[in-house]
Amino acid sequence: MAEIDDPLVVIANRSLECLVGLDCGRLKPVLSNHTELVDAALLDMFHQPLIRSGRMLIGTEGRLLLLDRNGTQKEQKGPVEGGPVRELPKGDVRKALKDLSDLRALMPLCRFRFRSLQMALVDDDGKIYLKVRFLEVQMVGGEIGLIAFLRPVRGYDRALEMMRESLYALGGSRDLVGFLSGLCLSFPAGVIKPAIVIGEEESAFAVATDIIAAHLPAARVNEKGIVNDLDTEFLHDYRIALRKIRSVLSLFKGVYSDEVTADLKRRFSRLMAKTGKLRDLDVYLLEKQKFFDLIPAPLHDGLEQMFALFLRDREEAAVRLADHLISDRYQKEMQELSDLLAAPEHLQKGPSAEQGAHDYARHLIWKRYRKICKTAAAIDESSKDDDVHALRIHCKKLRYLMEFFAPLFPEEAIRSVIKPMKRLQDNLGRFNDCSVQIDALSDFLSGRKFRDKPTQMKIAQSVGALIAILHQRQAAERMLVAENFARFDSEETQQTFKTLFKLREESE
């Protein structure tokens, strides 16, 4: 079979019936009988690595079918509900999925029915010029579409182009992700990205409460995925939602009374603390290959043993967190918080509660921006780690504020300052990652009991080499901070901040 750049064509809103009478010039399309409709599920992981690489994994009738863009099919027994790749029965599909992370699980993205049909383009003598495999996908809601896998015969490029043109004339495209999104694809069930509408006349109290009330269910919707340990991203999104809630409590000064603010800070901090151990281990395991790439091969054995211990620790941490999330105590706490936010009149207001959202936002953002400028001006290659960390935290808080209040300001202007800020944040994030990893690896060596001295020595050698390289990387990132801040704080950015956020009564 000849190799072609893109052997896959998708056609929305079309069924197999549209192929009858398809114009193929002097060649005649010969269609096989279509198969019967069968129930199926489209399986993938949280960020859809299979679909984005042009592969489709279909679970149907106790079988797993893996199709690539060429229409090549691998098949084996397997559960329609998915699960971790390592837990699938041995077979061709599991072998083909070995590139997927062990920390992520296959899950149904949508359910549908499908049938298939084979087509061949032949001349008057019956010679085959092109083969095509069609899948018709039918959704429960009535949406329908075709997926065509073109399988050309070597030397007959014209037949291939003719078929492609005919399918494009029916509305075909190469965009598998867009096609599936239009039919059924979404984030895994329940994952939500809160959309919060803010009016200029709305009070600061109402904005703060709306943001917290929107992000609490955004956290909770991930609980099932965490408990079932489906994918590390469920915990990641859970933590992001809690972090944004905590940032509101920290940044929206004077909106709630000191007593209410302290109480909510304590409660959400306690919720976040339960997740830290598992997330730290997930990050290490997800970046495992990066650690191996940093040190010479002779030291890899020590890292293998260290990651084996991390994996064991992770299994224990995942069980502890799952037990916490299904406990009566946790469920009661989350219900009480939900009830409190559903009746904000029970939240005691602070002195800034009734301030208009627009002026309140301008004041907070301008104040945070000035803190960043002051902190960054003192950063150089000799600065202490704590100073760099302080700058990172100020940047994160400014980013959150601008995202929270973005609806109140011109979209293009907000985007123009967030983009260069992201480069600085990435730089500071890498610096922080090195610091956290250095401390964690040092604690790992000092706080762990090893089964024997040779094992301890082997791991210590590998970890010591890793720490040395991380120190070098940290120093390199520190050198870039001043440069990236200068890019962020250009004259244009300064003017944008002054125009959008500086109030008349506020001084430099």
Side-chain angles (χ1 to χ4, degrees):
M1 184 178 70
E3 292 295 325
I4 57 176
D5 290 339
D6 206 332
L8 184 143
V9 178
V10 293
I11 317 172
N13 305 314
R14 295 284 186 173
S15 68
L16 291 177
E17 280 65 34
C18 76
L19 302 176
V20 177
L22 193 67
D23 182 12
C24 299
R26 67 180 183 84
L27 299 177
K28 180 175 67 173
V30 177
L31 306 176
S32 68
N33 291 327
H34 60 70
T35 62
E36 296 297 318
L37 282 167
V38 294
D39 295 324
L42 180 66
L43 303 174
D44 209 332
M45 294 180 168
F46 195 94
H47 291 304
Q48 299 122 31
L50 290 174
I51 293 167
R52 296 185 187 283
S53 65
R55 294 177 286 178
M56 291 179 60
L57 181 60
I58 297 172
T60 178
E61 298 179 332
R63 309 288 299 174
L64 294 176
L65 310 177
L66 180 65
L67 297 165
D68 64 18
R69 292 188 77 89
N70 294 303
T72 303
Q73 177 176 307
K74 297 184 185 299
E75 182 176 351
Q76 70 165 72
K77 290 181 180 179
V80 175
E81 65 272 13
V85 172
R86 66 179 180 275
E87 295 180 8
L88 297 180
K90 291 183 178 179
D92 291 341
V93 172
R94 174 175 162 175
K95 190 182 299 183
L97 299 179
K98 64 182 180 181
D99 60 307
L100 301 182
S101 170
D102 284 339
L103 295 182
R104 298 197 156 102
L106 298 164
M107 62 191 85
L109 298 185
C110 62
R111 300 188 184 276
F112 56 93
R113 305 180 80 197
F114 80 99
R115 57 180 179 166
S116 63
L117 174 148
Q118 302 286 343
M119 172 189 284
L121 289 189
V122 303
D123 62 15
D124 292 338
D125 296 326
K127 181 186 291 186
I128 295 176
Y129 284 68
L130 176 72
K131 294 180 180 179
V132 190
R133 178 181 185 182
F134 289 95
L135 290 186
E136 180 188 277
V137 179
Q138 299 182 13
M139 306 309 300
V140 175
E143 298 87 350
I144 196 166
L146 286 181
I147 304 172
F149 303 94
L150 309 182
R151 309 180 71 179
V153 177
R154 190 179 299 276
Y156 296 117
D157 294 343
R158 180 57 191 144
L160 168 65
E161 290 306 316
M162 188 184 306
M163 174 58 68
R164 187 181 277 148
E165 289 170 7
S166 296
L167 296 179
Y168 283 170
L170 293 172
S173 76
R174 303 178 183 181
D175 184 9
L176 178 63
V177 175
F179 169 80
L180 291 172
S181 296
L183 283 176
C184 66
L185 190 59
S186 63
F187 287 99
V191 176
I192 55 177
K193 309 293 178 185
I196 300 162
V197 178
I198 300 175
E200 287 194 19
E201 302 306 316
E202 195 170 357
S203 70
F205 176 88
V207 172
T209 306
D210 286 349
I211 293 172
I212 295 174
H215 281 87
L216 187 61
R220 297 216 65 188
V221 79
N222 291 284
E223 290 169 0
K224 184 176 180 181
I226 299 170
V227 170
N228 293 328
D229 203 12
L230 294 177
D231 193 293
T232 60
E233 289 301 310
F234 287 106
L235 177 58
H236 183 50
D237 279 10
Y238 178 89
R239 284 171 55 84
I240 287 175
L242 291 186
R243 189 181 297 124
K244 289 190 174 182
I245 291 172
R246 295 178 68 200
S247 71
V248 170
L249 296 171
S250 172
L251 293 169
F252 284 47
K253 306 288 188 183
V255 167
Y256 302 116
S257 69
D258 290 345
E259 183 181 357
V260 168
T261 300
D263 177 59
L264 291 176
K265 278 185 174 181
R266 176 184 55 80
R267 295 169 77 173
F268 282 106
S269 176
R270 191 167 55 201
L271 291 171
M272 181 70 99
K274 293 286 188 180
T275 68
K277 179 66 174 178
L278 180 57
R279 181 57 188 170
D280 289 345
L281 289 165
D282 280 348
V283 170
Y284 277 117
L285 291 163
L286 286 168
E287 297 186 348
K288 177 179 176 180
Q289 189 55 50
K290 293 182 182 178
F291 286 108
F292 278 83
D293 292 341
L294 289 175
I295 63 174
L299 295 173
H300 285 185
D301 189 36
L303 284 192
E304 286 286 4
Q305 295 187 54
M306 181 183 76
F307 276 100
L309 294 172
F310 282 164
L311 190 57
R312 189 181 69 188
D313 291 347
R314 188 201 177 277
E315 291 172 354
E316 295 173 356
V319 171
R320 285 197 300 272
L321 182 56
D323 288 344
H324 162 68
L325 293 177
I326 63 176
S327 68
D328 291 340
R329 181 176 179 179
Y330 173 83
Q331 295 295 326
K332 180 182 177 183
E333 170 71 347
M334 294 304 262
Q335 189 59 54
E336 287 179 356
L337 287 169
S338 298
D339 293 344
L340 183 61
L341 294 166
E345 62 272 15
H346 297 307
L347 291 168
Q348 188 175 1
K349 296 180 179 180
S352 300
E354 298 305 326
Q355 188 172 349
H358 190 260
D359 283 352
Y360 185 73
R362 292 176 68 189
H363 169 72
L364 289 182
I365 293 171
W366 177 254
K367 183 179 179 181
R368 187 62 53 181
Y369 167 66
R370 296 304 301 157
K371 278 189 176 182
I372 288 175
C373 293
K374 183 178 179 179
T375 305
I379 300 291
D380 58 29
E381 59 190 59
S382 63
S383 298
K384 295 180 180 179
D385 288 1
D386 288 347
D387 296 332
V388 183
H389 292 319
L391 178 60
R392 181 182 66 86
I393 291 169
H394 287 320
C395 285
K396 180 181 288 189
K397 289 181 176 180
L398 176 61
R399 178 82 173 270
Y400 279 152
L401 283 172
M402 295 180 71
E403 289 175 349
F404 288 149
F405 290 110
L408 296 177
F409 301 97
E411 182 179 351
E412 187 60 36
I414 292 291
R415 190 184 300 119
S416 73
V417 292
I418 284 182
K419 186 176 180 180
M421 188 194 304
K422 187 178 185 304
R423 181 195 291 266
L424 175 60
Q425 282 189 284
D426 289 344
N427 173 196
L428 294 167
R430 291 189 296 269
F431 178 90
N432 183 64
D433 288 345
C434 289
S435 297
V436 170
Q437 290 164 359
I438 289 168
D439 291 343
L441 290 170
S442 299
D443 291 343
F444 172 79
L445 287 179
S446 62
R448 170 82 61 165
K449 289 185 178 180
F450 299 94
R451 66 173 183 266
D452 54 56
K453 198 70 174 176
T455 298
Q456 182 179 1
M457 291 298 295
K458 186 172 288 188
I459 293 177
Q461 276 187 315
S462 301
V463 172
L466 195 54
I467 288 175
I469 292 171
L470 289 172
H471 271 298
Q472 293 173 3
R473 292 198 160 200
Q474 184 186 37
E477 293 296 339
R478 188 199 310 270
M479 294 284 287
L480 292 173
V481 171
E483 177 185 335
N484 284 324
F485 176 73
R487 287 178 177 172
F488 160 65
D489 200 37
S490 64
E491 290 185 9
E492 182 180 355
T493 299
Q494 292 176 26
Q495 188 57 49
T496 300
F497 270 97
K498 287 179 182 178
T499 302
L500 290 182
F501 308 119
K502 186 182 177 184
L503 297 169
R504 287 184 180 180
E505 62 271 21
E506 290 180 312
S507 65
E508 293 287 334

